[in-house]
Each structure stands twice: as structure tokens, then as C-alpha cells.
């Protein structure tokens, strides 16, 4: 079991080898890289005996149960067949690539990607868990993306890689969905459970969805029609990659998937219809297109598509024998196609071209390579004594046994033969065009035989072609049988691997194909002329322009939606808020509650009317900024009167001091703003905004009314009851602020401090335009600091400080506290700034406001930390009463230290903002005076 | 340790304060040291806190000794414990990047950074709705200030949009809070959860307006359609460390939605049970859609990253809409993954932009990179993680979410959107990657300065998490499942937090 | 007797407030408006004092002192703005 876990992970380790050995010689790097895959291959083969006996190996390590993912591997006949293909051909490709890649290419990187792909592919075929299968499936897409785009500086490599990734990635996502539904239907993500529950799956209502999704994954990966277009474009990859991924392994992953899930999903009409029809179409389309390719690799790519279609068709036929034939053809195709790609690579490498219109008569220059390529093509064409012939015969036999299309079933063998004709024709073209057919035309290099060892992989593969073709049972009998067993999840049917089955219909079909193909090749000129009538369409360009069209549409949509208008964004937020609140308010039948109303008096009515008028005036005059500011002050004044009236003196004082500080802040800002703003809003926008604002205002008003007219039982009762006994103060507002909810206050003074820092940060390096005259064009007065203002302000300072100290100290029991005291102090200091200017203050007040903020928040925090010493939680308060002569009885409370922190933060923050806003001008003013 | 649960708030607060005071305030060097030390402390204490939660269960911290529901309580449970640890880790990684030089673009970067962390951690930990508002303010005001860091006209304009929208949001938060207090008479979330079940008739209707108003507020923070418009510009114009830190800001909104609409207005809310669900469904799905379209349309890497943040928000909101334990568990896992990966992308985008000269991070032909291999590798990691491709963490989160859908209707809506969203990200990233790394003109230019070791460390730290999240996926997903169970179980997430109250 | 006085004074202050607001809205110059605002502050102080007498509480007198100070600073700032544009130089 342990060795099973190592199987895929040895190559994973192996990805590091080429990276680490890249500095050695290329040969050394290649050999070191090959070491671990070779070891893995030996490991796989060491299980061969048991596997041929019908055994199956499993290894499971739980990983992420939440998504059904286990590290689970299995080795059975099918897995072993693929593992041998992956590792064996992989080793040959490593050797081949050593000679193929030029000195410019980083061979270490190439090998690392290649081994990474090998790891992923092994993972796919060895998986015993659905999610893990998908995991490796996607890894193959990623590593193939890296390999296709290995020459990323070439446009076609980038485009080809993107297209392959997009198509296979999309299929991978469909596969994920399919596997998840499959796992959920079975109730287990273990592959074995799925395979054992085929009947359950086929009976389930989810079956059609599962089949479609899983097949989408398989078809995209295996380049089945209509997803076949990515494969020819992936030929931008270096040829070893094409030989490995795009003929022998990755494109077989989709086939593998169908074979793997054969017991679970196949054998229904739906499966038959989709798989066999797709396979048939792909088989014909690929073969047809292949014939007209001028690019050597393009021909091979399309022939690969065609052969993949053939295998798919076999898997869709629904008979066990067809499945056996499919597996046999997987082996054969991998072998001859890999060797053909390698041969094509040699031709490209040694002659500098892949265009069959230029490549002619190479027999003279590279007879040895030509012989190898000819044997391999013969196998591709299905010539007897080659391995391709055997599986093609089995294919033809199976087509004859099809009855699924009813009276139209005869179409299948006929079309299969037609496909065979094309296959012979394009194989013929590969041989004749390249090696004979006159002399080479304008080749960049004079062709010659490749280096000795570059040919070795081709030789080996071609030898296997012949060996399998002549001694099929000896060569692959056991392996095929074991793989067939595993695929069918039960005993394989009887079949014969003999070369000669007597003179029968399949043989006739083969002969027709051979002769027909030769005739077709001979008359190719007519066919080419016919084909030339179609407008040439390059799937790459179509695909790219589709993607670009999508991008443009998206960009247009986004540009329309995110037009950068703040008004629109705010509109959306408020409109959404209106929808949310209105939706439930519509269901509220009575607005007013049962709470008794407080009687109205004339004074309150007057104040309310004044409030409304001044609020409206502010809105109407919002473009005359100074006037709006004055009316706004009236609003603030009346609100604070209302607080006083409804017995909230703390609030009244806070409101008023905040009001004044805000007004000063706005006046400071006004200086830099235009006095009047032009009318910017269109009437339509005004109507829109006005309606929204009124609607939202109306809703908030309704809710407030509904709430205020209803009785409420809340936690505030607890606060009033415990304020004196628990918090040591009779002013419950202050006790809430510094004790019950001191943590909120700590947060809020931090907010204030941060705001000050942020504003400082914003204006620190700002340089602004300063008007030299007021809105009416009158020059500013030259009296910077009027005497009267100076004198009064100066006398105000000590008084104000005294008041603020008083308010601060009594805050715990009477209206007041650190916040109001801090604001009063700041207002008094600002008054000094207004009266005397920054320079005058600088010489007299040497506070660093930033330190003040820091120490304020710090003191408040430390006062809270103090309670840790006594084993209480953060911000637990302490108070006691003391007696001193002269002063009398007094109270000391830890909350007062906290309040001191509040006080310092408020003063520091307010002053940091206002003084720095004021300072914005001081550096510039002197120069302005010079002009005057 | 008794006080451990308040450490995530106090450590950044104290370090922020210290950095405002001399002698540390005077030199940027000592501020940098203090910041890194502070973040290390924070990370350690958050790890210890999570360990403690895991061993001893929920940690309740009554501030000022006032028991809930009267005082403010911090609740360090598995959900908040996980998220503060996430924040601490993110903070450490980002500060390492910032101290390499980007902290010099304006005053007070370090204290503001600390206060921002304090706000985020406070929002995660608090068990009191008004206190949540306070911490929202802390994190918002610090974010306003950080946004204009290393300013410029465009930054200031984007910041202005952000500030004004969030001020509107804050006012709505207050309205909502006021309505809920006016109907429930309490602010402690556990207490609210219990009281809301007893509301009937008109009072329940009024409370519903407040509850839905909060959805607007949290939705704005979480960039839920139609309130996401501010995000792409804001995030893409923020300086790199700030944008990376902001990766967690939308998650605060999402977290609040989970906390409020699972614990308070969840299954047991009587007439108000699951009120957010019907709204969340369409909006979450539309958010994923618009985010995916945005991903497709992005002309540069920073905008792409910002749009991915919208997609991840939409995905998380969809989990909230599914409203089940499995979905919450998936959301928690996904939150950790997407925060770290998008933060990594924002930092990487900055490195990329700096090495490409005038092309910056736009998807156009440019000169080659100074460090193509390292940056390319990092880009591949981030892209795979964010697209949700194996072997990195995105796929685990994605599958957890897909597996969380309960009915076939849900599946029909959620699966295609999430999968097509992944595809759109895949296409966008493959276009971006091939253009950025392979479409070059001329040879490398020595003008661009290579990424500094600290910056590489920072990005490396963030990216290292995505394979770790997969390798230890079993343990982590088990933890998120427990956390989700806790959140959905009113017995432990509400009654358990109020001594002396039983159903 | 005191109650009647309070009511009478309150009515007067109300009228004063209304007239002040009228002046404030009508203008015509900014100075008029600022003066009106300042007078409204004084009206407010009177109103608070009156309320204090009515409620027999001395708390409101302190509030009145504070309003006086804040009103002064606000008026002074507005005036300085008219004078120099930049109030802190």
C-alpha cells in the first residue's frame, strides 16, 4: 500500500530534479530527470504479476472529509495500462527533448513542467476518489498550459495555450459539477463505491445531468467535436510536448474518464446517443480536416482528433467487446502517434520547416527516419502487420454489430469505412508528400539525419508497433485483458487478438479503406480545389475575437454601471435603504402607539416652527455658503434648546459646543471654496433627489414617530438604578459614558484622534488657492488682529478654563464631564488663535497636539488596564469617598482618570484639526502682503 | 489567561498610542520596529487566544465588570477567534511590505495602521451591536486616512467617494440601531437574539425595518450590489499595503451579516426569522455576476484584483443566503482563503507595476521584468488560488460552497454562477498572465528597482498560506464546521452567553 | 405672580426669536444676518434662564453662561471671516 502512495509522488519530487540539475550538462540533466520516472515505472511493473491475476490495489489516507476529498489511489488494469503509457512514453520524450530543444531554451524549466505534467497525469489515472481525480485533472490542464506556452514570446503559443486552458478549464468545471452530483447521488466520493453502484446512478433522476457534465469534461479534454478546435492550436508547443500530451497522454484523459466511469454511467440510451454520435462526428471531421492540412503537425493533430473520435465511438457503442477494442486502440494510437510526432519533430528540426508544400523528397536526405515514419504511418492507416490494423479491424467488426440506430444502423459501418478511407489518404499524404514527390522547396536548412540518440525513441516506438502488430497476444495480451476487466468492473468478454480472422466483412472494409484511400490521395488535387471554395476560418482568430467581443461588452457594461458619479452611488444606497424600510413599513397598520402624549405649549411650537424654517432655508440657500452656515447655526441652537427643555442638559451643552466647533471648521474651509457654487444639477436630477430625500425623510420620521409613541422596557432602567451604587456618580449620562459603556467611549475618542490625524495627513502637504478678495470683490481688511477682539478674547481664556475645569470635575455627578470640558477648552483656545494668529500663539502655547491625542487615548487605556492589577476586567471602575480638611468630603474615582483621557483627546484632536487648517495659509500670507 | 480576549484590541491600540508619543513618534525607523513588534505580539496573542478557545470553549469578557446585557461583552468564540487570527496574520504580512518603504508616503502611516487593526479586531470580537458600530467607526475613519496615504488627485477623489458613502452608511447604521433599541430595549446581541423571538405584531414590524436597514449598512461594507460601485476605484487607487489590508474590510461586512442574521435574526427569531434571506439571494447572485463581468473587463491588474474582491463578497453573501451550517463553514474557510490570496495579489500587483515602467500594471506590451521567475511564480500561485484551481486553497472553498447548497433550486442558481465566475477569472488571469509575462518589447532595462527582500518575504508569507490551507484542509474545515455549528446553535451562541437566562 | 411674569416674558422672547429669524432670512447683508444670529443666541440664553427660574434649578444658569461664551466665539469667528476671509492666520 505504501508503495502505491509513492507512485505519483515520486514524479512530484522529480520536478525538483531538473531545476536543481539545470546547471549540469544537458545530458546529465536529462538522465537525472529520467531517474525518478524510471523508478516509478519499475514500481508499476512490479505490480504487474498481481494485476494480471486480477488483483486490485488501494491506498487511502483521509484528507479533507468536508469536501469528500481523500488521498486515495488505486492500481488496477486500466490504471496500470495508462501508467505504463504515461511513464514509458514520458521517458522516451525526455530523451527526445534533450536533443530537440535548442541551447536557448531552458531545459531545466522544460523538464520540470514535463515532470509536473507526468505527476498530474499519473494522479488522474491512479485516483480512487472523485474529487482527487478532478484535482489532478485540473493540474493536467495547468501543466499543459505551461508546456504549450513554453515559447511564450510567440503569439501563437500564447493564444494556443490560452485557448487550450479555457476550453479544458471550462470542461473541468463542468466535470467538477458532474462529479459532485455523482458523489452526492451515490453518497460517497470513493471511486470504487461509484463503480459498484452503477444501477443506482442510472436509476437516479440526476443521471442525465451527471452524464452530460462528465462528458463535457471528457469531450473538452479529448478534443471531441465541437470542442476539437483547441488541439491543432496547441501545436504551438514544442514537438516533444505534442508527442507526449497531445497524442499519447493528456488528450487520452477524457477517454480514460469515459472508460473509468464506464460501469457507472454507460449502457443507457442517453450515453449511447451522446457518446457514439459525438465520436462518429469527431472521427469523420478530424479525418477530413487532416487531409487538407499543410502543416505536418496540423495533419497529425487532426488525425489525433479523428482517432480520439474513433475511440469515443467505440466506448459509446455499449458492448463489452467495443470497450475492449477501445482500450486496444488507446494503446496502439499512443504508440504510433507519439512516434509520428517525434518523426515530424525530427523533420522540422533538421530541415527548418513543417510545411508539406515545401517539404518534398526527404527520402534522399534522411532515409532512416523516413523508414521509421513510414512504418508508423502505415500503422496509422491500418495496414496489416501493424498494431493499428488490429484495433481498426476490431473497430470495423463492432460497427457491423450495431443496431442502436434501428433501420439506419448500416450508416455506422459505412461512415466508419469512409473515415478509414480518409485515414489512409492522409497517412499517404504524410509519407508521399514529405519523403517523395520531387525536390524540397526553399528549405531554411539542408535536411540531414538527426543525432543518433534523437532517433532512439522513435525506433523503440516503431519496434513496438511492429511487435504488437505481429505478436499481439504476446505483446499486450495480459495487459489488455487486465485493463478490460478493470474497465468493465467485471470479467471481460471473449475476444481474439489474432491477425487473421479469415476473409470476412471487416477485412473487406479494411481493403476498401486502403484502396479508397490510395485513390483519394491520387485525386487529391480535385478535393483540394473543392475545399478551397470554403472561406478559410482560423479557429484561433474566431476564438480570440469572441473573447475580445465579450471583453468589450463587459467593459461597456461596467463603464455604464460604474460611471464614477458619487451622486449616483449615494442614490443607490439610499434607494436601497428606502426599499428595505418601506417594504416592511407598508405592513404597519397603525403608526401611533399607546404611550400618552406630553401636552404641547406655545413655546415648543414656536421653536419647532423656527427649526423647520431655518432647516428649509439652509437647503434652499445651500449654494450661498455663508448664509447657509448662519441658518445652520440656528438649527443647532434650537436643537440644543430642545435638549435642555426635555431635561438633557449634558446633551444640550455637547450639541452646542460641537455646533460651534463645526461652524468654525466650516468657516476655515469656506475661505478656500468659491463663495457661491454654480447651479450644477439638471432639473431631472433635482426632482429625483428631492423625491428620494423626501421619501427617506418621511420614512425615518414615520419610524421615529412609531417608536416614540410606544412604551419601551429597556436596559436603561438598570443604568439609572445602578449609577450611584455601582458607578459612584449621580449623573447617569456620565456614568454610562465613562463606566457602563466606557469601552464605547474609548473607541469613540480613538475615532476622534484618528480623524484629527487623518485630516492633518490630508492637509499636511496641501497647497491651495487663496482668494485675495471676498465674494463681492471687496479687498480684505488690513487689520489682521483687531484690538478689541484681542482684549476680550484674552480675558475670556482664564474664565473659560476655569469653567471647563469646573465642568470636568463635577461631571460625574452633575451635567458635564471630560468631553464637554474638552470642547469648551478648545473653543477658548481657538478664540485665541482667531484673535491673535498662529505666530503669537506659537510662542506662548507649546503643546504638541499630537502628543496630547496620544497621551489622552493612552491615559484612558491605562486607567482601564489599572483594574487588571486588582484582578478585574478591563475598564472596571473604582471609587471611594475621602475627607480632607478645608476641602471637605470628596470622591475619587478611577473613572475620572478615564475622563481626563477623554478631555485630553478632545482638546488635542480639535486643536490639531483647527490649528492646522488655520496654518494652511500662514506660510503663504506674507508673500501676498508684499503684493499689496 | 483571563484577559486574552481583549488583547487583539488592546495591543494595536497601545502600539498606536505609543507611536504618537515621543520618542517613537520622532523617527520612522523606530515606528517601523514598533509596528513589526506590535504585529508579532498581536499574532502570538491571537494564536494563544484561538488555542484557548479551542480548549476551554467560548471566552466571555465583560468590560468594566458589568455583566451582559447591561455592559459591553467581548465574545471570543471560534468564529471571531479565527477571524482575529486572520487579521493578525494579514497585518504582519502587510506591515512587512510597508516597512520596505511604502510607509513613507505621508504622515502617521504606522499609528493609523494599528488603529485600523484595532477597529477590525474589535468588530470581530464584540458581542454588542452598538459597540460594533463604534468599531466600525474606528476602522472606517482609519481607512479614510490610510486611503489618502501616498496621495495624489486620483487617490483623494476615490477616497472622497469612499468617505461620503460610508458616512451615509454610518448614519443608516445609527438609524437601524436606534430602531432596534427602540423595539428590543437592549444592545447585547445574545440578549437581542432572545428578545427578538418574543416580538409580535407591530413591534416586530418596526424592528424589521431596523434589521433590514442594517443589511444596507453591512451590504455597503461588503460591496453587495447595488452598493459595490465604490470598490474597484477605491481599492485600485489605494497604495499597495493599504489595498492589501482592505482585503479584509469587505469581510467585516460579511461577518456582520453572518453574526446578525444568523444569531439575532436567524432560525429562532419568531416573526422575524431569516428576514435577510429573501433579499440576500438575488443580491448575492447579482454581485457575483457583476463582479465576474468586472473581472473580465478589467484593463489592469489592480482593477482585476478589486473585482475579484467583489466576486468573493458575492460568493460569501451567497453562503449567507443559503443560511445553513455547511454554508457558514464554507464561508469561513473561503473568507480566510480569499482574504490572504487577494491581499497577496494586491501586493504583487504593486511589485509588477513598479517593474514595468510606464505600462505599470496595465495589460499591454511592456519591457521585461527584472525578476521574471520569482514574480511569475508568485503570480501563478495567486492566480490559481483565486481562480479556484487545484492544488491551491481556492478549490477547497469552492467545493465546500457548492456542497453546501441544499435544494435543487439553490443548486441551479449557485453552481452555474460560481463555476462560470471561476471560468471568467480563469480566462482573465490567463490573458493577464500571458500578456504581463511574455509580451515584451526590447530587452530588460536596469532602471526598475528589484523587489526588496522584505517585500518578497511579505508576499511569500501570504502565498505560503494557500497550499497550507489545502494540506491542513482537514483540520481547518473541521474547525470551521464547529464554528458554524456554534453560530447556528442559539443555545450556545445566545443563551450560553447570558448567565442566568435559559429558554 | 412669578408664573404670569414667566409666561409674559416667554411670549416676548418668542416674538423676538421670530423677528430675529425674519431678519436673518431677509438680510440683506451678511452683517445683518450675523447680528440676527447673535441676538438669537441672546434670546436663547434668556429662554434658558427663564426655564431655570421656572424649574427652580440653578443648573441652567451654568448652561446659560456656556451658551453665552460659545455664542460669542461663533459670532466672532463669523465676523473675522467677513473681515479677513481667513479666520486663523
Amino acid at each position: 500500500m505504501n508503495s502505491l502512495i509513492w507512485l505519483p509522488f515520486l514524479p512530484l519530487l522529480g520536478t525538483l530534479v531538473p531545476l536543481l540539475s539545470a546547471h549540469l550538462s544537458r545530458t546529465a540533466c536529462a538522465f537525472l530527470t529520467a531517474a525518478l520516472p524510471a523508478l516509478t515505472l519499475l514500481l508499476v511493473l512490479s505490480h504487474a504479476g498481481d494485476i494480471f491475476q486480477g488483483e486490485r490495489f488501494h491506498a487511502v489516507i483521509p484528507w479533507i472529509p468536508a469536501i469528500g476529498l481523500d488521498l486515495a489511489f488505486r492500481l488496477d488494469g486500466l490504471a496500470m495500462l495508462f501508467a505504463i503509457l504515461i511513464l514509458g512514453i514520458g521517458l522516451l520524450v525526455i530523451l527526445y527533448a534533450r536533443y530537440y530543444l535548442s541551447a536557448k531554451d531552458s531545459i531545466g524549466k522544460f523538464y520540470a513542467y514535463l515532470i509536473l505534467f507526468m505527476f498530474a497525469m499519473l494522479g488522474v489515472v491512479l485516483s480512487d476518489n472523485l474529487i482527487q481525480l478532478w484535482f489532478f485533472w485540473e493540474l493536467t490542464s495547468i501543466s499543459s498550459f505551461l508546456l504549450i506556452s513554453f515559447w511564450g514570446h510567440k503569439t501563437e503559443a500564447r493564444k494556443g495555450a490560452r485557448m487550450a486552458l479555457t476550453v479544458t478549464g471550462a470542461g473541468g468545471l463542468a466535470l467538477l459539477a458532474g462529479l459532485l452530483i455523482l458523489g452526492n447521488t451515490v453518497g460517497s466520493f470513493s471511486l470504487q463505491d461509484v463503480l459498484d453502484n452503477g444501477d443506482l446512478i442510472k436509476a437516479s433522476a440526476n443521471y442525465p445531468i451527471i452524464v452530460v457534465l462528465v462528458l463535457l469534461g471528457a469531450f473538452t479534454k479529448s478534443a471531441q467535436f465541437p470542442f476539437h478546435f483547441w488541439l491543432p492550436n496547441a501545436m504551438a508547443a514544442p514537438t516533444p510536448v505534442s508527442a507526449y500530451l497531445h497524442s499519447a497522454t493528456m488528450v487520452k484523459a477524457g477517454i480514460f474518464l469515459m472508460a473509468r466511469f464506464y460501469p457507472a454511467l454507460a449502457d443507457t440510451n442517453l450515453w449511447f446517443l451522446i457518446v457514439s454520435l459525438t465520436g462518429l462526428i469527431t472521427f469523420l471531421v478530424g479525418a477530413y480536416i487532416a487531409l487538407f492540412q499543410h502543416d505536418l503537425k496540423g495533419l497529425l493533430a487532426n488525425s489525433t482528433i479523428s482517432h480520439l473520435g474513433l475511440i469515443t465511438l467505440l466506448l459509446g457503442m455499449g458492448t463489452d467487446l467495443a470497450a475492449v477494442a477501445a482500450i486496444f486502440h488507446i494503446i496502439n494510437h499512443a504508440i504510433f502517434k507519439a512516434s509520428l510526432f517525434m518523426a515530424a519533430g525530427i523533420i522540422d528540426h533538421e530541415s527548418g520547416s513543417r510545411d508539406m508544400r515545401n517539404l518534398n523528397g526527404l527520402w534522399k536526405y534522411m532515409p532512416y527516419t523516413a523508414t521509421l515514419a513510414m512504418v508508423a504511418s502505415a500503422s496509422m492507416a491500418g495496414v496489416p502487420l501493424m498494431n493499428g490494423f488490429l484495433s481498426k479491424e476490431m473497430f470495423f467488426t463492432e460497427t457491423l454489430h450495431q443496431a442502436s440506430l434501428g433501420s439506419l444502423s448500416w450508416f455506422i459501418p459505412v461512415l466508419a469505412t469512409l473515415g478509414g478511407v480518409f485515414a489512409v489518404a492522409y497517412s499517404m499524404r504524410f509519407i508521399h508528400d514529405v519523403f517523395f514527390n520531387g525536390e524540397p522547396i526553399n528549405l531554411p536548412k539542408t535536411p540531414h539525419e538527426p543525432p543518433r540518440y534523437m532517433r532512439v525513441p522513435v525506433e523503440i516506438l516503431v519496434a513496438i508497433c511492429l511487435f504488437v502488430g505481429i505478436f499481439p497476444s504476446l505483446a499486450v495480451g495480459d495487459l489488455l485483458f487486465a485493463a478490460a476487466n478493470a474497465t468493465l468492473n467485471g470479467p471481460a468478454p471473449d475476444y481474439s487478438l489474432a491477425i487473421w480472422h479469415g476473409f470476412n466483412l471487416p477485412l473487406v472494409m479494411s481493403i476498401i479503406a486502403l484502396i479508397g484511400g490510395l485513390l483519394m490521395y491520387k485525386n487529391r488535387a480535385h478535393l483540394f480545389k473543392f475545399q478551397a471554395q470554403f472561406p478559410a476560418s482560423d479557429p484561433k482568430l474566431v476564438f480570440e475575437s469572441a473573447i475580445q467581443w465579450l471583453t468589450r461588452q463587459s467593459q461597456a457594461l461596467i463603464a455604464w454601471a460604474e460611471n464614477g458619479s458619487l451622486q449616483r452611488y449615494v442614490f443607490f444606497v439610499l434607494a436601497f435603504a428606502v426599499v428595505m424600510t418601506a417594504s416592511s413599513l407598508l405592513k404597519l397598520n397603525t403608526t401611533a402607539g399607546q404611550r400618552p402624549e406630553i401636552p404641547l405649549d406655545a413655546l415648543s411650537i414656536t421653536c419647532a416652527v423656527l427649526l423647520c424654517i431655518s432647516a428649509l432655508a439652509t437647503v434652499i440657500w445651500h449654494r450661498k455658503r455663508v448664509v447657509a452656515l448662519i441658518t445652520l447655526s440656528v438649527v443647532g441652537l434650537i436643537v440644543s434648546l430642545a435638549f435642555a427643555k426635555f431635561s438633557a442638559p449634558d446633551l444640550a451643552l455637547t450639541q452646542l459646543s460641537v455646533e460651534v466647533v463645526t461652524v468654525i471648521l466650516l468657516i476655515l474651509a469656506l475661505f478656500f471654496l468659491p463663495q457661491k457654487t454654480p447651479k450644477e444639477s439638471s432639473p431631472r436630477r433635482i426632482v429625483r433627489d428631492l423625491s428620494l430625500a423626501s421619501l427617506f425623510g418621511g420614512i425615518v420620521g414615520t419610524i421615529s414617530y412609531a417608536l416614540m409613541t410606544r412604551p419601551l422596557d429597556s436596559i436603561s432602567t438598570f443604568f439609572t438604578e445602578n449609577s450611584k451604587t455601582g458607578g459612584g456618580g449621580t449623573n447617569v449620562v456620565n456614568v454610562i459614558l465613562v463606566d457602563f459603556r466606557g469601552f464605547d467611549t474609548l473607541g469613540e475618542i480613538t475615532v476622534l484622534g484618528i480623524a484629527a490625524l487623518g485630516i492633518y495627513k490630508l492637509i499636511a502637504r496641501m497647497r491651495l488657492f487663496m482668494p485675495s478678495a471676498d465674494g463681492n470683490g471687496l479687498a480684505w481688511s488690513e487689520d489682521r488682529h483687531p484690538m478689541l477682539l484681542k482684549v476680550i478674547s484674552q480675558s475670556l481664556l482664564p474664565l473659560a478654563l476655569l469653567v471647563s475645569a469646573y465642568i470636568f470635575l463635577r461631571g460625574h455627578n452633575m451635567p458635564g464631564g471630560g468631553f464637554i470640558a474638552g470642547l469648551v477648552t478648545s473653543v477658548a483656545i481657538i478664540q485665541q488663535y482667531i484673535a491673535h494668529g498662529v505666530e503669537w500663539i506659537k510662542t506662548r502655547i507649546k503643546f504638541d497636539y499630537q502628543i496630547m491625542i496620544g497621551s489622552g487615548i493612552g491615559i484612558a487605556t491605562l486607567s482601564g488596564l489599572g483594574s487588571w492589577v486588582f484582578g478585574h476586567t478591563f475598564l472596571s471602575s473604582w471609587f471611594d469617598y475621602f475627607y480632607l480638611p478645608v476641602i471637605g468630603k470628596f470622591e475619587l474615582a478611577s473613572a475620572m482618570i478615564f475622563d481626563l483621557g477623554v478631555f485630553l483627546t478632545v482638546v488635542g484632536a480639535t486643536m490639531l484639526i483647527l490649528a492646522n487648517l488655520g496654518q494652511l495659509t500662514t506660510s503663504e500670507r506674507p508673500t501676498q502682503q508684499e503684493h499689496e | 489567561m483571563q484577559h486574552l480576549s481583549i488583547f487583539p484590541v488592546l495591543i494595536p491600540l497601545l502600539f498606536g498610542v505609543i507611536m504618537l508619543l515621543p520618542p517613537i513618534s520622532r523617527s520612522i525607523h523606530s515606528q517601523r520596529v514598533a509596528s513589526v513588534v506590535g504585529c508579532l505580539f498581536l499574532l502570538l496573542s491571537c494564536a494563544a487566544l484561538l488555542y484557548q478557545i479551542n480548549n476551554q470553549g467560548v471566552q466571555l469578557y465583560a468590560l468594566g465588570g458589568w455583566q451582559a446585557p447591561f455592559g459591553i461583552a467581548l465574545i471570543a468564540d471560534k468564529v471571531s477567534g479565527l477571524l482575529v487570527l486572520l487579521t493578525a496574520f494579514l497585518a504582519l504580512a502587510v506591515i512587512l511590505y510597508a516597512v520596505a518603504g511604502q510607509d513613507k508616503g505621508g504622515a502617521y502611516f504606522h499609528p493609523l495602521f494599528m488603529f485600523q487593526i484595532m477597529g477590525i479586531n474589535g468588530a470581530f470580537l464584540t458581542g454588542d451591536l452598538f459597540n460594533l458600530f463604534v468599531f466600525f467607526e474606528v476602522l472606517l475613519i482609519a481607512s479614510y486616512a490610510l486611503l489618502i496615504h501616498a496621495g495624489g488627485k486620483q487617490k483623494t477623489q476615490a477616497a472622497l467617494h469612499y468617505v461620503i458613502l460610508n458616512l451615509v452608511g454610518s448614519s443608516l447604521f445609527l438609524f437601524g440601531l436606534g430602531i432596534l433599541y427602540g423595539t428590543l430595549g437592549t444592545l447585547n446581541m445574545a440578549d437581542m437574539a432572545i428578545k427578538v423571538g418574543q416580538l409580535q405584531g407591530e413591534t416586530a414590524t418596526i424592528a424589521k425595518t431596523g434589521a433590514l436597514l442594517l443589511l444596507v449598512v453591512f451590504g455597503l461594507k461588503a460591496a453587495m450590489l447595488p452598493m459595490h460601485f465604490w470598490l474597484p476605484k477605491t481599492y485600485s487607487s489605494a497604495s499597495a499595503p493599504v489595498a492589501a489590508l482592505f482585503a479584509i474590510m469587505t469581510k467585516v461586512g460579511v461577518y456582520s451579516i453572518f453574526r446578525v442574521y444568523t444569531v439575532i435574526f436567524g432560525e429562532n427569531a419568531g416573526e422575524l426569522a431569516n428576514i435577510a434571506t429573501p433579499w440576500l439571494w438575488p443580491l448575492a447572485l447579482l454581485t457575483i455576476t457583476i463582479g465576474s463581468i468586472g473581472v473580465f473587463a478589467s484593463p489592469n491588474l489592480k482593477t482585476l484584483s478589486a473585482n475579484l474582491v467583489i466576486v468573493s463578497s458575492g460568493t460569501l453573501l451567497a453562503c449567507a443566503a443559503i443560511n445553513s451550517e455547511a454554508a457558514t463553514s464554507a464561508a469561513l474557510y473561503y473568507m480566510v482563503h480569499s482574504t490572504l490570496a487577494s491581499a497577496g495579489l494586491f501586493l504583487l500587483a504593486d511589485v509588477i507595476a513598479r517593474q514595468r515602467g510606464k505600462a505599470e500594471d496595465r495589460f499591454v506590451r511592456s519591457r521585461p521584468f527584472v525578476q521574471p521567475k520569482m514574480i511569475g511564480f508568485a503570480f501563478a500561485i495567486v492566480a490559481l488560488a483565486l481562480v479556484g484551481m487545484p492544488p491551491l486553497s481556492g478549490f477547497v472553498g469552492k467545493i465546500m460552497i457548492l456542497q453546501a447548497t441544499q435544494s435543487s433550486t439553490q443548486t441551479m442558481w449557485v453552481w452555474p454562477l460560481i463555476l462560470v465566475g471561476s471560468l471568467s477569472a480563469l480566462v482573465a488571469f490567463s490573458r493577464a498572465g500571458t500578456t504581463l509575462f511574455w509580451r515584451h518589447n526590447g530587452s530588460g532595462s536596469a532602471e526598475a528597482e528589484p523587489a526588496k527582500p522584505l517585500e518578497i518575504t511579505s508576499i511569500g508569507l501570504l502565498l505560503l498560506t494557500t497550499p497550507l490551507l489545502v494540506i491542513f484542509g482537514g483540520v481547518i474545515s473541521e474547525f470551521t464546521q464547529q464554528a458554524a455549528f456554534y453560530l447556528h446553535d442559539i443555545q450556545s451562541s445566545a443563551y450560553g452567553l447570558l448567565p442566568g437566562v435559559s429558554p | 405672580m412669578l408664573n404670569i411674569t414667566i409666561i409674559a416674558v416667554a411670549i416676548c422672547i418668542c416674538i423676538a426669536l421670530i423677528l430675529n429669524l425674519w431678519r436673518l432670512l431677509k438680510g440683506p447683508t451678511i452683517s445683518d444676518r450675523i447680528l440676527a444670529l447673535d441676538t438669537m443666541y441672546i434670546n436663547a440664553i434668556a429662554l434658558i434662564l427663564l426655564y431655570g427660574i421656572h424649574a427652580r434649578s440653578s443648573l441652567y444658569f451654568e448652561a446659560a453662561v456656556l451658551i453665552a461664551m460659545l455664542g460669542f466665539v461663533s459670532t466672532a469667528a463669523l465676523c473675522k471671516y467677513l473681515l479677513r476671509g481667513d479666520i486663523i492666520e
Side-chain angles (χ1 to χ4, degrees), chain A residues 250-321:
Chain A
M250 190 181 84
V251 290
K252 296 275 178 16
I255 305 285
F256 169 79
L257 195 73
M258 287 187 269
R260 187 83 278 184
F261 287 106
Y262 195 80
L265 299 179
D267 214 13
T268 62
N269 273 333
L270 183 71
W271 172 278
F272 165 77
L273 211 65
I274 300 178
V275 177
S276 62
L277 282 185
T278 309
L280 187 62
I281 296 173
T282 313
F283 174 51
L284 291 171
V285 168
Y288 180 77
I289 300 178
L291 185 60
F292 299 103
Q293 297 295 311
H294 299 302
D295 178 12
L296 215 50
K297 281 175 81 178
L299 183 150
L300 291 178
N302 281 296
S303 112
T304 303
I305 293 174
S306 167
H307 280 273
L308 291 170
L310 186 158
I311 303 172
T312 305
L313 173 57
L314 279 169
L315 285 171
M317 285 180 174
T319 62
D320 289 355
L321 273 173

Side-chain angles (χ1 to χ4, degrees), chain A residues 795-826:
Chain A
S795 56
L796 186 74
L797 184 63
L799 273 174
L801 291 181
L802 190 68
V803 169
S804 105
Y806 176 67
I807 293 175
F808 175 78
L809 287 174
R810 74 163 198 191
H812 215 44
N813 291 309
M814 307 278 270
F819 191 77
I820 304 175
L823 281 175
V824 170
T825 307
S826 330

